[in-house]
């Protein structure tokens, strides 16, 4: 579980670049600029008059004092805007054995490097087999189905190819865990139209034995936690 800092509400005005939002505070009507931790497309979320939940930091090193934490594109539907939260959720879930598909694996290290690539987690089981795990944050949804990615991801495709090669050599077991950072998703699939290269890489990974798992989350304005495993459709 990840607990959010105190949040206030604002209304989405515009997104001048990938990492900045212009918002209007709902309490004071003041225009503010907020850092956006998720550089994805987010066009289905950052719509006119959408509510964005933000937190304030007075650190002198920060150019932007506000950070976007959640988006509420429709009343009562909260979507995390922090991609790194997915990794924090997975670390906690691996340690507590909260994901059935990885319950036999323990955490060895975060940010583990193999060759020129760095993977999110290195896991190990009781027989000392090791598994490299990549985590993907899912915020795009249509009709209850989560989709990844929401923009072309050459880096993501590269990681999938590398995980496939590593499992082929037998040096490591490998896996990809898709984390839905919204509660209205009942399954996840690859978004074939937005990034066909990623989809093809994922199909090959599945054929070669890369472990592909998806989970959904429970989310409110105070916390987010992994809820349960859901189907992933290749």
């Amino acid at each position: 579980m990840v607990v959010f800092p105190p949040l206030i509400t604002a209304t989405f005005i515009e997104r001048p670049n990938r990492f900045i939002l212009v918002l209007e505070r709902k309490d004071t009507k003041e225009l503010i600029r907020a850092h956006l931790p998720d550089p994805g497309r987010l066009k289905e979320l950052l719509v006119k008059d959408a509510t964005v939940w933000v937190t304030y930091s007075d650190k002198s090193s920060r150019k932007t004092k506000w950070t976007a934490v959640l988006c509420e594109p429709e009343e009562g539907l909260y979507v995390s805007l922090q991609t790194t939260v997915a990794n924090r959720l997975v670390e906690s879930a691996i340690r507590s054995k909260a994901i059935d598909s990885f319950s036999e694996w323990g955490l060895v290290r975060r940010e583990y490097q193999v060759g020129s690539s760095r993977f999110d987690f290195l896991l190990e089981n009781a027989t000392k087999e090791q598994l490299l795990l990549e985590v993907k944050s899912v915020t795009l949804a249509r009709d209850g189905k989560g989709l990844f990615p929401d923009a072309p991801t050459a880096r993501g495709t590269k990681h999938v190819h590398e995980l496939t090669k590593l499992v082929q050599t037998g040096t490591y077991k490998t896996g990809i865990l898709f984390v839905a950072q919204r509660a209205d998703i009942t399954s996840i699939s690859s978004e074939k139209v937005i990034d066909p290269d990623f989809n093809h890489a994922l199909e090959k990974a599945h054929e070669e034995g890369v472990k592909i798992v998806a989970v959904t989350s429970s989310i409110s304005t105070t916390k987010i936690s992994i809820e349960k495993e859901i189907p992933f459709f290749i």
Side-chain angles (χ1 to χ4, degrees):
M1 180 176 67
V2 172
V3 177
F4 299 130
L7 304 177
I8 70 164
T9 57
T11 301
F12 174 71
I13 303 298
E14 63 174 333
R15 183 185 185 181
N17 63 52
R18 291 170 65 201
F19 296 101
I20 293 292
L21 299 180
V22 176
L23 309 167
E24 181 185 88
R25 287 182 57 167
K26 290 193 175 183
D27 53 355
T28 65
K29 304 304 179 183
E30 171 193 3
L31 286 182
I32 60 174
R33 291 168 66 86
H35 170 63
L36 176 62
D38 186 341
R41 190 178 56 138
L42 306 177
K43 286 186 177 179
E44 293 82 1
L45 300 177
L46 298 175
V47 296
K48 185 179 185 298
D49 296 331
T51 296
V52 179
W53 296 74
V54 297
T55 186
Y56 182 79
S57 172
D58 60 359
K59 290 182 180 178
S60 59
S61 60
R62 289 194 50 155
K63 294 181 180 179
T64 308
K65 300 299 184 182
W66 295 93
T67 299
V69 176
L70 301 173
C71 180
E72 191 179 355
E74 52 187 83
E75 187 174 358
L77 172 62
Y78 304 110
V79 184
S80 172
L81 295 176
Q82 297 182 301
T83 55
T84 57
V85 164
N87 287 52
R88 293 167 62 191
L89 288 172
V90 170
E91 180 177 356
S92 175
I94 294 294
R95 292 187 186 278
S96 63
K97 310 295 184 184
I99 303 174
D100 288 344
S101 291
F102 295 103
S103 61
E104 297 179 358
W105 298 88
L107 180 64
V108 176
R109 191 179 302 174
R110 295 174 296 178
E111 299 292 325
Y112 186 70
Q113 187 137 352
V114 178
S116 60
S117 293
R118 184 175 295 177
F119 299 97
D120 290 325
F121 296 102
L122 174 67
L123 310 180
E124 189 173 86
N125 64 14
T127 60
K128 301 302 181 182
E129 292 178 303
Q130 293 187 320
L131 185 147
L132 295 168
L133 181 64
E134 270 293 291
V135 176
K136 304 298 181 187
S137 172
V138 180
T139 58
L140 174 62
R142 298 191 192 105
D143 300 322
K145 178 193 290 185
L147 298 165
F148 184 91
D150 78 340
T153 173
R155 181 175 179 274
T157 301
K158 176 175 176 287
H159 272 151
V160 175
H161 283 309
E162 289 169 337
L163 290 171
T164 303
K165 290 177 183 177
L166 286 166
V167 82
Q168 287 172 332
T169 66
T171 311
Y172 295 95
K173 293 184 180 298
T174 63
I176 305 169
L177 178 56
F178 292 87
V179 179
Q181 291 208 69
R182 52 191 294 165
D184 62 335
I185 287 176
T186 57
S187 68
I188 297 177
S189 299
S190 175
E191 218 308 349
K192 301 174 177 63
V193 175
I194 288 177
D195 195 340
D197 291 339
F198 180 84
N199 180 68
H200 293 152
L202 201 64
E203 288 178 341
K204 178 67 174 177
H206 176 67
E207 291 170 3
E208 296 297 328
V210 177
K211 191 180 188 75
I212 301 175
V213 178
V215 294
T216 190
S217 300
S218 172
I219 183 168
S220 70
T221 57
T222 59
K223 63 186 178 181
I224 180 172
S225 59
I226 287 178
E227 182 74 9
K228 61 182 179 181
E229 290 189 38
I230 56 176
F232 188 94
F233 297 113
I234 303 296

